[in-house]
Amino acid sequence: MGKSRRILQAFLVVLAVFLFTGQADAAEKGTVTGNNLNVRSAPSLDGSVLGKLQNGDQVQVTGKQNDWLEITYNGQKAFAHKAYISVANQTSGAFAISVNGKAVKPPTTPVMKDNHLLVPFRVISEALGVTVRWDNDTRQVFAKDNGKKVIMTVGSTKVNVAGETVTTPIAPSIQNDYTLIPLRFFSEAFGANVHWDQDTQSVTIKRNENSNTPPPNPSDTPNPIMTNTIQANGTELKKTPIASSSTLATLNKGAKVDVLKNDGNWLYVSYNGEKGYIHSSAVSASQSPEVSGMTLKVTATSLNVRSSGSASSQKLGALTKGQEAKVLEMNDTWAKVQSGSLVGWVHTGYVTLYKNGELIRFLSAPEKIDGNGRTTFVWHKQGNVNTRQIMTDNGVAISTNANSIGSFPFQHPGIKSVNTTDGSYGKQIQVILAPGYHYVVRHSGGDVQLDILPSGLSGKKIVLDAGHGGRDNGATGVTGLLEKTLNLDVTKKLKAKLEAAGATVIESRPDGAYVSLSGRVDIAHQNGGDAFISIHSDSFSATSHGSTSFYHSGENPSWQQSKKMSDLAIHYLSSELGTHNRGSKDQSFHVIRETNIPAILIEVAFLSNPNEEHLLKQDWFREKAADALFKTLQAYYK
Ligand SMILES: [Zn+2]
């Protein structure tokens, strides 16, 4: 701890003591702990607003009515909600605290402030079995248990409970070098049951392990998280979230309520300015006609349920893998769902959708992303959508097993048209390119991407794969030339030419080190490569001779582009090097099979042939091999 921090802490203690002990007469001093706190003419939300108080304002508190404090405002009697005023009516006494029958002995006297008991955070955390940490820089208490986190800040009534901001009735404070936190709030945040006995001044806390029930209800007036519609006449608005609680109002079918907090079986709502609880079964869970009969099942480990169809909206809860929910409404890539009492929005990229029990699949309307010298369109898969691609005369068709595909709303100079048509197994996306443009289609579990690239090598990401390396020598020539060394040299020569032409080169094996075959594929995919060239030389018999180029037509979805590139490669290799043209062949080599971009593997010549090994030893010959591959890519991206 730094010296200045010690001084600050000492100052805060003095300040706290000053604030908490300055009472003597009938009027108590209150400190406002929130901004824009309404001052009202009556102790209810119906009272007219006389003005506003700001954080840190001092007020005289002359009385109390339910949740409201009577204060003096501009010389007049007025009211403000007690949640945002800290009153210095501290009394200290012998409070008995027990957790699960065991007495808790705080190292300092607990403080009763505004009817809330504050205790040192460590003693209560330990008693509850909650892991806790103090951060002196931020003056925050970090508590966690069973993956649930609670963060409290000294001087603030805002508490982060499992990622959500909740308000405590009283802010944590520092007193006598101890950080005190509100006992009830903290215990309830970790699912404990808290009972206060006024006569004996004792607190009895019971907590089962793994009991992380939702946090206590907010006592302030949070922003509504959504509006819901009452489904039945005679729905009762309750004062507290229990069935026997007094009824504040009776609501009829069609009434709209603003949901302030989802508290499990009960919703804390605002209805015509009145706040109370309704049972969650009372509100709308009706499906819009277009999603009639639709349900979803979560495919991600955990899927957030949010207050609206946006990743930045408030998190209301989460669904876990395999959990099912009723779809109430769809909006682009988001679905409004109901699961038990939880109603909110989920991203449909992590679900499978069903209509009347039958799996449905579709692709969302695409997103457009500009950058890296290209434009990328991304269609998100919803349901178990599989995609493939077919090269066409003037572009590409992305075939799918989807029932429907969102419309393509974009204009792009490289695209003449994008249309959805019927394919063999489902809908397909027909892309017709303008002259002077190329494409790469990338398939993954969650989406399918279309990159539109202008012609020319500039801006292309070329993955060069020098065959073998490290402990793997590859073939050995008749006089001992190692294939791995030769492959790396041709790769370096080609790299220099491509970079001079403005391309970006990604080397799967930049030096002599060994890289596994799957590692090479990963490098290609992780770097967003546009094309993959694996460079080798052959070995069989002393009379074998010539150059070969390979593509793979099975698993690689870009195989037609691979074949086009392979055909060009064998043409340029044989003509530049004067070698025998052994052809462009379909072959299942790992690196051209497992890659999903256009990928070829070339064999420059035979190391087992004394004449060809002699040529492969010549720098000019390897330079020509690199030239041939450079011309291949130049022609491919023409
Ligand atoms: Zn090889």
Side-chain angles (χ1 to χ4, degrees), residues 467-468 474-475 483 487 535-538 601 603:
H468 313 283
E483 188 198 342
N487 294 343
I535 295 166
H536 288 252
S537 266
D538 237 336
L601 184 150
E603 306 274 7

Side-chain angles (χ1 to χ4, degrees), residues 332 363-367 379 404-410 418-420 429:
D332 191 22
L363 287 177
S364 67
E367 285 179 75
W379 287 263
S404 75
I405 296 173
S407 61
F408 186 90
F410 305 111
V418 174
N419 290 302
T420 299
I429 304 165

Side-chain angles (χ1 to χ4, degrees), residues 296-595:
L296 59 76
K297 193 189 260 184
V298 176
T299 55
T301 311
S302 177
L303 179 61
N304 288 333
V305 179
R306 298 188 177 277
S307 60
S308 68
S310 151
S312 59
S313 71
Q314 193 187 337
K315 186 185 159 187
L316 307 178
L319 299 173
T320 52
K321 191 169 185 169
Q323 223 176 325
E324 291 177 32
K326 185 176 172 183
V327 177
L328 306 177
E329 199 181 320
M330 298 275 308
N331 187 356
D332 191 22
T333 56
W334 292 82
K336 187 179 180 184
V337 300
Q338 185 203 9
S339 172
S341 65
L342 186 59
V343 176
W345 293 83
V346 298
H347 195 279
T348 51
Y350 312 98
V351 303
T352 46
L353 286 157
Y354 299 83
K355 186 153 184 154
N356 302 322
E358 296 268 333
L359 185 69
I360 57 171
R361 310 173 182 96
F362 65 98
L363 287 177
S364 67
E367 285 179 75
K368 177 173 176 275
I369 302 159
D370 286 302
N372 290 324
R374 70 203 53 211
T375 300
T376 302
F377 300 97
V378 184
W379 287 263
H380 296 289
K381 296 177 178 180
Q382 296 167 29
N384 291 335
V385 176
N386 298 316
T387 52
R388 293 287 289 174
Q389 73 202 63
I390 302 145
M391 188 193 277
T392 59
D393 289 345
N394 43 21
V396 60
I398 301 170
S399 62
T400 80
N401 61 348
N403 313 111
S404 75
I405 296 173
S407 61
F408 186 90
F410 305 111
Q411 299 280 322
H412 187 279
I415 293 177
K416 275 190 171 169
S417 66
V418 174
N419 290 302
T420 299
T421 58
D422 287 320
S424 314
Y425 306 103
K427 298 286 178 187
Q428 65 178 26
I429 304 165
Q430 287 280 357
V431 182
I432 297 177
L433 295 180
Y437 284 88
H438 288 261
Y439 70 89
V440 180
V441 180
R442 301 170 205 272
H443 309 259
S444 71
D447 51 50
V448 59
Q449 296 188 15
L450 171 70
D451 283 12
I452 301 295
L453 314 114
S455 293
L457 277 166
S458 178
K460 305 298 174 291
K461 293 185 186 178
I462 310 297
V463 185
L464 296 184
D465 177 48
H468 313 283
R471 63 177 186 253
D472 173 12
N473 289 335
T476 303
V478 282
T479 68
L481 176 61
L482 295 180
E483 188 198 342
K484 65 176 182 183
T485 313
L486 162 67
N487 294 343
L488 190 61
D489 185 66
V490 174
T491 300
K492 295 290 183 193
K493 286 179 160 61
L494 176 55
K495 177 179 190 260
K497 294 174 199 293
L498 290 170
E499 285 178 346
T504 300
V505 171
I506 299 139
E507 291 173 275
S508 66
R509 172 169 78 87
D511 52 35
Y514 174 79
V515 179
S516 69
L517 295 179
S518 59
R520 295 165 193 246
V521 172
D522 289 344
I523 287 164
H525 291 165
Q526 282 160 12
N527 289 284
D530 295 320
F532 181 98
I533 299 186
S534 187
I535 295 166
H536 288 252
S537 266
D538 237 336
S539 175
F540 189 65
S541 70
T543 53
S544 310
H545 65 287
S547 307
T548 323
S549 182
F550 296 97
Y551 63 93
H552 173 70
S553 72
E555 285 87 342
N556 187 321
S558 304
W559 76 272
Q560 288 165 307
Q561 288 167 295
S562 304
K563 182 177 186 303
K564 183 180 161 185
M565 196 181 289
S566 176
D567 292 351
L568 289 165
I570 195 58
H571 165 76
Y572 284 107
L573 282 168
S574 57
S575 58
E576 290 288 311
L577 300 173
T579 48
H580 170 57
N581 180 336
R582 293 170 56 89
S584 169
K585 297 176 177 174
D586 187 353
Q587 183 64 258
S588 178
F589 292 126
H590 185 103
V591 293
I592 57 173
R593 182 184 69 230
E594 301 301 324
T595 38

Side-chain angles (χ1 to χ4, degrees), residues 224-270:
I225 52 181
M226 61 172 57
T227 299
N228 271 332
T229 308
I230 299 294
Q231 290 300 290
N233 286 328
T235 297
E236 292 181 331
L237 182 68
K238 298 286 191 181
K239 193 175 178 199
T240 58
I242 46 173
S244 59
S245 166
S246 58
T247 300
L248 301 172
T250 305
L251 282 58
N252 285 331
K253 185 176 178 181
K256 302 278 186 206
V257 292
D258 286 332
V259 179
L260 304 175
K261 176 97 189 115
N262 185 326
D263 215 354
N265 290 328
W266 293 87
L267 301 174
Y268 183 59
V269 302
S270 171

